Amino acid sequence: MLLAALFASPSLCAWPSLELEPVQDNTLYETPIDSGATQYELSNGAGDFLFAGRGGMDAGFRLRRAVLKFDLSGLPAGAEILAARLTLHQSRAAPGSPPASMGLYRVSQDWGEGESEGIGAEGQGNFATAGDATWHHRFYPDIAWDTPGGSFAETASATTTVGQELTAYTWGCTSALVTDLALWQSAPAQNFGWIVVGGEAAAYSAHRFDSRENEAVETRPRLTIVYRPAETVHSDGFETPPDCG
């Protein structure tokens, strides 16, 4: 029942699944790069929340992007990934903000999660600590992104529309999402996770999601993967793999 509801495909009930929380997550806050002894760069490695979109006046109308990484080592050896979806729980949205199309993009460089923790509601983050991902650095303060704001694929692997409702939003099964996971399964050294990008055109369009550190376990990010074990043979005609095209 659960998997059928998740993926709108009764045949998925025939397949095992794996549910994962991130092993790393963080927010990239758009700021100037540090200048000499003056620190500008912000992060939220140990915070309760993740952010994506453009902030308002109090945040200088600057952008936020969330990054997440999952460890796929729990998949059985030789398993074939059939379907997947990412779920994030929105706990705050800017009043009056329009619905935002948010894309999930495969990150192309490694990045870190330090000990920074945002102040108050965490929308403006806090000063980055050693090893944090920031807008300019993937490992603060020494290793920069090739592109400020994160280095990632040009095309989204999945998209969803995030509105005002404080609820769970899902990035559903697509062939590109499954391709990302299959790549990371076969080449773990290339697993740098995804970045959430969207809601960047209009001011006051930032959205806040619960992070892996959030005390509410049930609202933390979740990646659900449906797979076919390597040794499984199906012959009764009811186990047609789902279509993620």
Side-chain angles (χ1 to χ4, degrees), residues 2-3 6-7 12-23 70-87 177 181-182 184-185 191 194 221-229:
L2 175 60
L3 289 178
L6 280 174
F7 294 96
L12 286 173
C13 294
W15 306 95
S17 66
L18 180 67
E19 190 170 89
L20 302 171
E21 290 185 12
V23 292
F70 296 85
D71 180 4
L72 306 187
S73 62
L75 283 168
E80 178 188 1
I81 298 172
L82 302 176
R85 77 184 303 166
L86 173 70
T87 302
L177 198 72
L181 293 168
W184 300 337
Q185 179 190 23
N191 179 5
W194 291 298
R222 290 285 188 278
L223 174 64
T224 304
I225 301 174
V226 177
Y227 63 92
R228 173 165 45 202

Side-chain angles (χ1 to χ4, degrees), residues 3-123:
L3 289 178
L6 280 174
F7 294 96
S9 175
S11 66
L12 286 173
C13 294
W15 306 95
S17 66
L18 180 67
E19 190 170 89
L20 302 171
E21 290 185 12
V23 292
Q24 288 182 189
D25 57 19
N26 209 334
T27 298
L28 313 183
Y29 297 82
E30 185 183 23
T31 64
I33 195 168
D34 285 0
S35 177
T38 303
Q39 181 174 353
Y40 298 109
E41 296 184 58
L42 306 174
S43 192
N44 198 25
D48 289 331
F49 305 111
L50 304 167
F51 297 84
R54 185 178 294 278
M57 182 179 296
D58 60 342
F61 304 109
R62 292 177 176 143
L63 300 177
R64 285 94 175 84
R65 294 172 178 173
V67 283
L68 308 98
K69 178 180 176 180
F70 296 85
D71 180 4
L72 306 187
S73 62
L75 283 168
E80 178 188 1
I81 298 172
L82 302 176
R85 77 184 303 166
L86 173 70
T87 302
L88 300 180
H89 184 270
Q90 179 173 246
S91 54
R92 178 173 288 188
S97 61
S101 177
M102 297 249 173
L104 197 64
Y105 295 81
R106 179 170 51 83
V107 180
S108 57
Q109 291 185 288
D110 201 5
W111 52 273
E113 178 195 76
E115 297 180 356
S116 59
E117 187 168 358
I119 299 170
E122 302 182 9

